[in-house]
Amino acid sequence: MKKYGLLMLIVMLAFIFGCSDRQEPQNGKKTPETPRHTEKPGADGQTSKGADVVDMHGMVQNLGRLDAFVNEKEGTQRLIRYTIEGDPMYYDITRKNGRIELRLDSTMDEYGSGTVQIFDCGRMNRGETETQIRYVLTGCAGEREEVELLTIHFDVSRQDRFDFVLKYGPGLKNEIHTAEQKFVKSLDDGAATVSDFAIPEKDLQKIYRALVLAGYLTGKKLSAACSGPAGDAYDLTVYINSGERKFRWNSCDGSPDGKQMTAVAEEIIGIVHSGSVYRSLPKTAAEQGTGN
């Protein structure tokens, strides 16, 4: 029995040390120490570092902070990306002494690697085409010379359906309705209606881009109750594939969401008003007075 017990002890020790050997990094690389605990954001989506950039399946909040960080020389910015299952992955990006450190924490991702990785990189680049914006770290040490941070896609041609209805102006009497190919311009003594109105594909692409970058599929807190000019009211319904989103607000809504959506509405209005169809319609007294 003693010999049997001694044999079992030897087997167990061999197993333990064998497992330890398998956990050693390959090619002589040293396993990094476990970095500091990741600070979780509060209910307002902020940590002690300030507002985080949050990517929820392509709808991004606070993207302007990431754009600004591309050109900063020092500082820290957090990007939180959520998986399809709703698990957060934390990207803490730090600029210091001419280098960029990325701390990628995937420990909250139930189906991911569950690790914390550190990358030391040389540059942070932002590249944009007509259908996407890509943020990437380059010149990184180690096996991965390039690390992608975030890619935002806004190719309208890949959507099964993209239509919208935008009403604006006093009494919301002006209307752009892409599904019904209708445009209504409110005049001083009535309205002019165009029943075969269509927005060119290149302009639809611009509008879709503006909506995606505004994060239109995320929860928007908008107000139509603020005191502002009657002509600055907006009512927007977006039909995307099999779903839809409705928004109603006034341009005097000074919240981040209000400013974003006002910018989107004004971009749509600007595209339509610069077209030949709008210019062929009768002018209002206000337009005649300004010479537009």
Side-chain angles (χ1 to χ4, degrees), residues 240-260:
I240 185 70
N241 301 322
S242 60
E244 66 180 70
R245 288 291 188 276
K246 293 181 178 292
F247 312 91
R248 189 164 186 169
W249 75 102
N250 194 293
S251 66
C252 59
D253 181 351
S255 68
D257 285 342
K259 291 179 179 179
Q260 276 190 322

Side-chain angles (χ1 to χ4, degrees), residues 17 69 84 94 118 151 156 170 177 192:
F17 285 110
F69 191 73
I84 296 297
T94 301
I118 301 294
T151 299
V156 71
H177 198 314

Side-chain angles (χ1 to χ4, degrees), residues 204-257:
L204 283 176
Q205 176 62 55
K206 293 178 183 177
I207 293 168
Y208 183 63
R209 173 191 183 277
L211 283 165
V212 171
L213 295 186
Y216 77 105
L217 289 179
T218 60
K220 292 291 182 183
K221 296 180 180 179
L222 301 170
S223 174
C226 55
S227 298
D232 291 339
Y234 306 99
D235 187 302
L236 174 65
T237 302
V238 179
Y239 301 95
I240 185 70
N241 301 322
S242 60
E244 66 180 70
R245 288 291 188 276
K246 293 181 178 292
F247 312 91
R248 189 164 186 169
W249 75 102
N250 194 293
S251 66
C252 59
D253 181 351
S255 68
D257 285 342

